Amino acid sequence: MQIRDLPYSDPGDPDVRSGPRFLFWLGRSQLGGQVKSLCWGLLHHCAIAGLPLAVGLAVQAVIDRSGRDLALAGVLLVVLGVFIALGDTMLHRTAVTNWITAAARVQQLLARRTAELGSALTRRVAAGEVVAVSTGDVEKIGWFVEALSRFLAAATALVLICVGLVLYLPSLGVLVAVATPVLALAVLPLLPRATRRADLQREKAGRATELASDTVAGLRVLRGIGGEELFLGRYRRASQEVREAAVRSARMWAVISAIQVFLPGVLLISLVWYGATLARDGRIDVGQLVTVYSAATLMLFPLRNVEEIAMAYSFSRPSAQRAVRVLSLRRTTRPPTEDGATPRGDLYDPVTGLMAPQGLFTAVVCGDPDEAGRLAERLGGHAEPDEASGPDDASAPVPSVLLGGVPLDELPLASARSAVLVQDKDPVLLSGTLRELLDVPSSGGVTAEDALAAARCGDVLDALAQASAETDGDPMNTRITERGRSLSGGQRQRLALARSLVTDPEALVLDEPTSAVDSHTEARVAAGIEQLRRGRTTVAFASSPLLLDLADRVVLLHGGTVAAVGTHRELLRGEPRYRAVVTRDTEAEAAAPAAHDGLTAVDGLRPGRAVEEIEETA
């Protein structure tokens, strides 16, 4: 796999039993790249290891006054220099390719899992952790994969050098061969402590980042209540904790680096002292001493790869564990039994008994927002494994939602997504132009203009057209900032609604689609939804009388099951629990069946509601 061939057509099925197993699977999946990097690394290190032999031959040729041997040594040095340059260049090229392709593989795996789970992912794993895994952790995992082949090349070169020195000059070669494993393994006892300190530093840094993000997001509120200094003091303390943890971690790695310098120095001093004694006694030649000393000196270069692989593994192992925590999540599915065709018919949830008839606009009223959110996710095929089961049977599967009698869990993911679309209560707008925002997979039955009109986005389009002079007055070409931060909450909500309407799914589930707009706009948006989706299955979770009065049928959920079904006006007259939720009555008011005047009892509106709201619902 080359960088130009990315992305992978299939990133594979990872081993998510543990972080180390995932790293091993990742390295095995890129076996070709690892072998290439290993071969070029061997060429590079072996060419470097050959330099002492050429230098020793040159020194001995000068001592023996042999021009022929000196010329041979010179030619050997040139050849080795070419090999070193070629090996180093290609080693760097293949190693970086391994890094980038490994990181790309992990990112594709994360993207695939995110797309499969949808918003259910952030209910199981914090959104900040998902972002951390897909950015910083991916780089650390790629670093280990990249360093692995270079370490194997260095380790192989060390073995070959030691064997060669023992055969070339046993009296000094044995000393080098015995000392090399000690130098390589001396830092292993310190690695667990260094890893723990590094993990603590990352944990504290994550907390500080989360605190900073929360502070920035709530800066307007903090200024309103005068809490800037309070949160600034908290961030200062968190920042100091990060600094102290980083210093402690750096001290440990400094000790490891010092050992990597000190012990090889002791080896070289011992080697020179013992070798000089042998040369003085005439037991070895000066050229042989220079050769062995040069070889031992150059061995320090591949030994650095031992420290690097130790650091890479220490940093990548917790990163891989976090990646495994995300990749091990699965969408609740059953073995597929359908051909993948999009089914048609009623949308039915067997857990609550909710029935949304085909082609009708069904509104759902639930006093518990969390319960409503779980039901909305379940209608989209994102059922939690323990939602329907009791505490004694947490592993029992949740009965799948049925569309036209077909379980969504038995449909391929793409078919299930095209059949039922769920818009969350807090939808996210991606950065880009408005045209790109509305360029989503759809049936083609609803144009972007129709969807924007139904969502009553006229004022949003005017604002976008005025905000950018570079688009020649075309709001569709105006760029929307990240998460739509340049827009108000109501504008973001209506654009997200227009995006959902463009897709034109068989069944559309909206969770509080008008919660961020004023009453007048709410009535117009509700009418736009009803008109555009007429004849299509639509489910809206809401408690606004303006929207409920336009629904074909209204369902009241109480205690996790359907408690009542009817029209908005019928439920207001005959269902106190419904009236308590919709009109925000207290328990005492709800207990009095006729405590309100006729206007409130019929329309579900408090006396303080605006006149235009009354006219819309009358």
Side-chain angles (χ1 to χ4, degrees):
M1 170 63 69
Q2 298 296 321
I3 297 177
R4 62 175 177 267
D5 299 325
L6 294 174
Y8 290 93
S9 58
D10 181 12
D13 187 16
D15 187 342
V16 294
R17 288 177 290 178
S18 66
R21 288 179 181 271
F22 176 69
L23 291 174
F24 175 75
W25 173 86
L26 199 59
R28 186 183 61 191
S29 299
Q30 301 186 203
L31 189 59
Q34 296 289 345
V35 171
K36 290 180 182 178
S37 185
L38 174 62
C39 293
W40 290 116
L42 284 175
L43 176 63
H44 176 61
H45 288 298
C46 290
I48 292 177
L51 289 177
L53 178 61
V55 172
L57 289 176
V59 171
Q60 193 62 42
V62 172
I63 294 175
D64 297 340
R65 297 181 181 278
S66 172
R68 177 178 175 275
D69 291 345
L70 185 60
L72 179 62
V75 172
L76 183 58
L77 282 172
V78 172
V79 173
L80 291 175
V82 172
F83 285 164
I84 291 173
L86 178 62
D88 191 22
T89 301
M90 297 306 298
L91 172 62
H92 177 75
R93 178 184 176 88
T94 54
V96 171
T97 299
N98 288 338
W99 186 340
I100 295 177
T101 52
R105 186 187 295 272
V106 177
Q107 286 180 326
Q108 280 190 246
L109 291 171
L110 291 170
R112 184 174 67 181
R113 185 65 69 236
T114 302
E116 176 183 334
L117 295 173
S119 59
L121 174 63
T122 54
R123 294 208 312 270
R124 305 184 189 182
V125 180
E129 182 172 353
V130 177
V131 174
V133 171
S134 60
T135 53
D137 287 334
V138 165
E139 292 187 5
K140 294 182 178 66
I141 293 172
W143 177 27
F144 174 77
V145 174
E146 177 262 343
L148 180 61
S149 56
R150 291 193 290 108
F151 163 72
L152 294 176
T156 305
L158 287 174
V159 173
L160 294 177
I161 293 173
C162 290
V163 172
L165 290 179
V166 170
L167 297 177
Y168 176 72
L169 192 63
S171 55
L172 293 180
V174 171
L175 175 62
V176 176
V178 172
T180 298
V182 177
L183 297 179
L185 302 177
V187 299
L188 289 183
L190 300 178
L191 288 179
R193 181 178 298 180
T195 302
R196 288 195 297 270
R197 292 189 178 185
D199 290 343
L200 180 62
Q201 176 195 350
R202 285 191 292 271
E203 179 182 353
K204 291 184 176 295
R207 292 177 182 173
T209 302
E210 182 178 356
L211 179 60
S213 300
D214 291 342
T215 303
V216 172
L219 189 58
R220 182 179 300 177
V221 177
L222 291 177
R223 287 175 176 172
I225 63 176
E228 304 101 309
E229 289 299 326
L230 174 62
F231 275 79
L232 181 60
R234 291 181 180 178
Y235 181 75
R236 283 172 177 166
R237 289 191 295 272
S239 179
Q240 290 302 313
E241 291 179 0
V242 174
R243 181 189 62 80
E244 294 172 359
V247 170
R248 294 183 71 247
S249 177
R251 285 174 180 169
M252 182 56 63
W253 289 111
V255 170
I256 293 176
S257 298
I259 292 175
Q260 291 286 347
V261 174
F262 175 74
L263 293 183
V266 173
L267 171 62
L268 293 178
I269 293 174
S270 303
L271 187 63
V272 170
W273 176 81
Y274 182 57
T277 302
L278 295 179
R280 184 190 60 188
D281 297 339
R283 297 169 60 183
I284 62 173
D285 297 330
V286 175
Q288 291 177 318
L289 174 60
V290 172
T291 299
V292 176
Y293 174 78
S294 301
T297 303
L298 294 176
M299 285 176 62
L300 301 182
F301 179 72
L303 277 173
R304 294 174 185 172
N305 288 275
V306 178
E307 178 187 358
E308 182 188 12
I309 194 65
M311 292 182 63
Y313 180 75
S314 299
F315 281 95
S316 64
R317 183 186 56 79
S319 296
Q321 193 61 47
R322 284 191 288 269
V324 163
R325 193 156 50 241
V326 176
L327 295 175
S328 60
L329 301 177
R330 290 290 187 272
R331 176 175 177 259
T332 305
T333 59
R334 298 185 179 89
T337 59
E338 299 294 327
D339 57 4
T342 302
R344 298 177 179 274
D346 300 337
L347 185 65
Y348 175 69
D349 176 37
V351 176
T352 60
L354 172 67
M355 170 69 76
Q358 181 183 13
L360 297 185
F361 183 7
T362 302
V364 180
V365 175
C366 181
D368 184 356
D370 293 334
E371 181 182 346
R374 289 192 297 269
L375 175 55
E377 291 298 329
R378 194 161 60 246
L379 291 176
H382 303 295
E384 291 289 351
D386 57 349
E387 277 187 282
S389 56
D392 299 330
D393 188 18
S395 61
V398 177
S400 175
V401 170
L402 306 178
L403 180 61
V406 179
L408 289 182
D409 286 351
E410 296 184 4
L411 290 174
L413 182 60
S415 298
R417 291 282 171 83
S418 63
V420 182
L421 174 67
V422 177
Q423 177 176 301
D424 297 333
K425 183 181 300 183
D426 299 312
V428 176
L429 300 183
L430 302 179
S431 59
T433 65
L434 180 57
R435 193 182 309 278
E436 293 171 343
L437 175 69
L438 299 179
D439 185 16
V440 293
S442 65
S443 66
V446 177
T447 65
E449 291 74 15
D450 292 339
L452 290 169
R456 301 302 188 254
C457 295
D459 60 320
V460 184
L461 297 179
D462 294 339
L464 291 176
Q466 296 175 3
S468 178
E470 301 176 356
T471 61
D472 297 328
D474 186 0
M476 299 299 292
N477 295 327
T478 304
R479 292 195 63 82
I480 298 175
T481 58
E482 180 184 3
R483 302 179 68 89
R485 297 188 188 279
S486 59
L487 304 172
S488 68
Q491 291 174 331
R492 287 196 299 269
Q493 189 175 59
R494 281 179 285 163
L495 287 180
L497 175 60
R499 180 179 58 186
S500 299
L501 294 175
V502 163
T503 61
D504 192 31
E506 177 65 24
L508 177 62
V509 180
L510 304 172
D511 191 359
E512 295 288 352
T514 59
S515 60
V517 298
D518 59 82
S519 300
H520 178 65
T521 305
E522 182 181 29
R524 295 171 58 238
V525 171
I529 296 174
E530 190 274 335
Q531 181 178 4
L532 185 65
R533 293 288 300 175
R534 188 169 297 163
R536 308 285 279 172
T537 306
T538 306
V539 179
F541 290 82
S543 59
S544 168
L546 299 172
L547 190 148
L548 296 173
D549 195 47
L550 293 175
D552 296 317
R553 63 198 305 268
V554 180
V555 178
L556 172 66
L557 288 182
H558 184 76
T561 59
V562 173
V565 179
T567 65
H568 169 61
R569 299 167 187 263
E570 291 172 352
L571 293 178
L572 277 176
R573 287 191 290 267
E575 181 54 62
R577 291 172 297 183
Y578 178 83
R579 187 165 54 247
V581 175
V582 173
T583 64
R584 278 69 168 178
D585 284 339
T586 62
E587 294 182 3
E589 292 172 330
H596 303 290
D597 59 23
L599 176 65
T600 303
V602 173
D603 296 306
L605 298 173
R606 306 290 295 185
R609 294 285 242 179
V611 174
E612 55 265 32
E613 295 179 24
I614 300 174
E615 293 175 347
E616 289 289 341
T617 56

